[in-house]
Amino acid sequence: MITTNRECRPVLPRRAAMAALLGGASLLGQPALAQAPAADTDAVQESEIIVTGSRLIRSDLTAPSPTTVIGEQDLQLSGNATIEGTLNEYPQLAAGNSSNVNGGGGSGVLTANLRGLGATRTLVLVNGRRFIPANADGLVDLASVPDALVKSVDVITGGASAVYGSDAVAGAVNFVLKRDFEGLEGSYQFGRTFRGDGTSHRADITVGTNFAEDRGNVTLSASFTDRGPVFKENRWHSARPLDTVNGVLVPGGSGSIPGTRIGLSTTQRAQLVGVDLNSAGPCSSLTGIRFGEAGAVLPYCAPEDTFNFAIGQYHLRPLKRTQISGIAHYELTDRVEAYGEVYYINSENSYQQASDSFTPVTPGAGASTFLVPNYATNPILLPAVRQFFINNTALFDPDGDGTAAVSGAGRRADELGFRNYSFERNSRNLTGGLRGDFDIGDKNWRWDVFYQYQRTSGTERAQGTISQTRLSQALNATVNGQGQVVCVDPSRGCVPVSIFGLGTIDPAASAFLTPERVANDRFTRNVAGASLSGQMFDLPAGPVAVALGVEYRKDAYAFRPSPQDIAGEYGTGSQSPISGEYDLKEIFGEIRIPILSDRPFFDTLAIEGAARLSDYSTVGSVFTWKAGGEWAPVDWVRVRGAYNVAIRAPSLNELYSPISTGFTTGVDPCVAARQPTPAQQDLCVLQGVNRADLPTFTQQSTGLSARSGGNPLLREEKSKTYTIGAVISPPFIPRLNLTIDYFNVKVDDAITTINAAQTLTDCFTNLDPSSETCRAITRLTNGQIDFVNTNLSNIGSLRVEGLDVQADYRVNLPNALALSGDGAELKLQAIASWMFSRSTQVVSGQPALECAGYMGGGCGGGSGFWLIPDFKLNLTGTYNSGPVTVRMQGRMVGDIKLKEGVVAAVERAPRHWLFDLSGEVRLNKTVEFFGGIDNLFDKDPPILGSALASDNSDPTVWDVVGRRFFVGGRVRF
């Protein structure tokens, strides 16, 4: 019988040991780091296992890093259509892109984000190996994991780069798939909110069989998921943006409105002719005029007349997903096994925004200025609009040339419909390998050789977005000899557009302005690796275990923008197709040395370490390592600690995303008016300013040119993580497991960006010409700033510090509480996480920004900047009796306070509880039914307003969808 398996969560060479391990792991959320009291201890002692977070062969159930296990039953009873929704309920995971994130979720890559350090610093594994990347950052879309096959999920919350490689700065999430599945299992689940939206359907079928006298197994699985959207306008707390006026929240929105708004000063409003500004009714702030039905000119009041851009946006993104998976293994000999894995995923999702808006501009007329030629007779204008300009010639046409100049206008093109961004990804994975074992003396060694090919092809379609080039072309209209209004430039089938008045953009103009944008990308990955693990020799305290391995990986990415983006039609500069690749070679090793065992006060004392040398084609050679130890004074108390030095290599996106140049505000610190110090003047001269010019040096432009995008010169991020904790299973409280872990993570040279003004300030504050910020400034021969590089650089610093506590307890209930003769059992679990600190420092010389438990002042706000609670708690109780299981879960997020010095209408988001109830009934060995209600009491999220959160609340922290149910059935044969 084969005694080797490279799956990283419990793997046993003997069936008895497998049963023992599963018995321990089946405890609700049983932490892998705790010994499982329910296991057959003797069987475990005689066997060898591998646990997540280590490649060593071990003889206990103790993981080297703090690890929480999410069991199959927890996943099934959560009712979530995608597994990411269940993972993000656990306190160790912080805010990130989820199904409830609309625009900020980008292409809908659903991610895991440990400790709030960012998804790029959390490594996602399937069966201990890297899974299919979904974008240029190499992130795994959790919706692509074949969750019908998932047996458990291990969340490793200590740095793991030495064991698994780059990206595991915050830790790793390992999905352990079922092995040796035999029979047929099919299930169907239906879900919907109690408001009748967000309908979901999910169907799974899995079939497996052993063959050749149990020497091999083949398992095939197929899954289909279809989830409908939930719209923001259908929830009262998000139906309209809430602005802050006089310290209170009031309905608000955007100043770009249908029909067009023109902002006017108090003096300009006093000059208006033919406009009744007193007809506005209740008006908080009169700031201009607007054009309504038939071009009627009306007063514009803020926020009363602002546009509600929440309409049409998703709270829950629609999703369609098809998964097909195959897993097989076959024993070629008694000591060699071949194995393979095949995965195919097709995923479609989208996000949606309000109709596009724009500031009307005539090319060459000046910033924010739109020219209206021949306004007195222009037939494209409605009569009321023509009369308005005729009446107000002094204001809009002071030189009397017949052309009106309008500045500071805003138009919402509601005639175009919503902006919709849809994404389709086709992903595939092929894995094949050989594994086996051999003996050296009385020691068994295991080996594994594998190869992976992964590819994801994506298509992005954008509809309803205005081409700025075509808009300028359509606004530049004239009257031809036949009295027809036509475009001055009739190319591309140009259709003239009038922007003054409601409904003035007809369908033909809409089609011209919004051509469909289609972009494509592809990510490919090749991985080959080999590993060897075993026990070298015995010490008095036990065997010395080692593991060695090598790995080669090559990642390549290519992106082709839409033809319109290549042509630069959207006002952000032209995009070019990009491609990039890198490869790396790695060698790694681990060792565990037992020092003492079975001694007074030293039931166990052991040290262990890991090291990895990686050679990247981009950043060169890097070295990561881990040192740790464990001490058990008695067999029911285990203290452990580890120190990790980890790295994260820059992703292909960070290295090669296209460079674009734009104009931004900023003042050169070298100008005479800023009165630079002598040291600053020396730096100015070093950068290229003539010293003789300094007394009169001025900036020739009103702003600066800034270049942004990827940076092929990026270095690796470096992190240091240390954890110390204890595992306690007191014999005087049988079936209780308690774990407590302190963590501290510091990331230096973090890859980030700052704007041009911050770059100049940092350079001329620290006066280090070799610094990243000083080297980002490029000057012309006359000393003027040519441009400032604001592309990604290694200039950031991140730090998190906190404490995790987990308790698991199982108790047998009296027969009076049992539903059958099999008795009853209650499993209780509590998981709490305190975030003492989560700080970011981007600009040196400035204090770090502390965001744990705070909002405002750079903390939160949406669009990728999500709130980070400083306390989260999960309480779970599961009742089992015969064929019935009932599970109740309470989830709490601690209060979040307004950052000191920030003024907002809301000063505190109070402590927030949610409760979920679910259960299943097994009619017999073949049929079972399940169902549940999430957010049982329909608790609304805290309301913060649009100044503190993009959706009035934060959808990554609180439930914004509301009460919902799921029901389903499962059959097994």
Side-chain angles (χ1 to χ4, degrees), residues 486-500:
V486 296
C487 298
V488 172
D489 175 9
S491 64
R492 292 179 289 199
C494 180
V495 179
V497 170
S498 172
I499 62 170
F500 301 109

Side-chain angles (χ1 to χ4, degrees), residues 621-744:
S621 295
V622 294
F623 182 70
T624 60
W625 58 274
K626 179 190 78 170
E630 57 181 302
W631 168 53
V634 292
D635 62 0
W636 53 273
V637 175
R638 186 182 299 267
V639 179
R640 68 190 185 294
Y643 182 79
N644 290 265
V645 174
I647 65 99
R648 184 182 76 87
S651 69
L652 289 170
N653 180 55
E654 292 165 333
L655 291 167
Y656 302 118
S657 60
I659 302 295
S660 61
T661 302
F663 196 73
T664 185
T665 58
V667 178
D668 188 342
C670 295
V671 299
R674 296 286 294 270
Q675 298 180 339
T677 66
Q680 289 175 329
Q681 292 182 22
D682 291 342
L683 181 57
C684 294
V685 173
L686 188 62
Q687 290 184 348
V689 180
N690 192 310
R691 189 176 293 276
D693 293 337
L694 283 173
T696 58
F697 190 68
T698 58
Q699 186 170 320
Q700 296 177 359
S701 62
T702 58
L704 302 165
S705 292
R707 290 186 177 179
S708 60
N711 181 358
L713 300 179
L714 287 172
R715 305 185 308 274
E716 71 279 6
E717 297 180 342
K718 304 178 182 69
S719 74
K720 297 177 181 179
T721 301
Y722 61 89
T723 60
I724 185 168
V727 182
I728 305 170
S729 302
F732 47 87
I733 309 179
R735 299 178 298 277
L736 172 66
N737 291 316
L738 177 67
T739 67
I740 180 169
D741 289 284
Y742 168 82
F743 59 88
N744 189 307

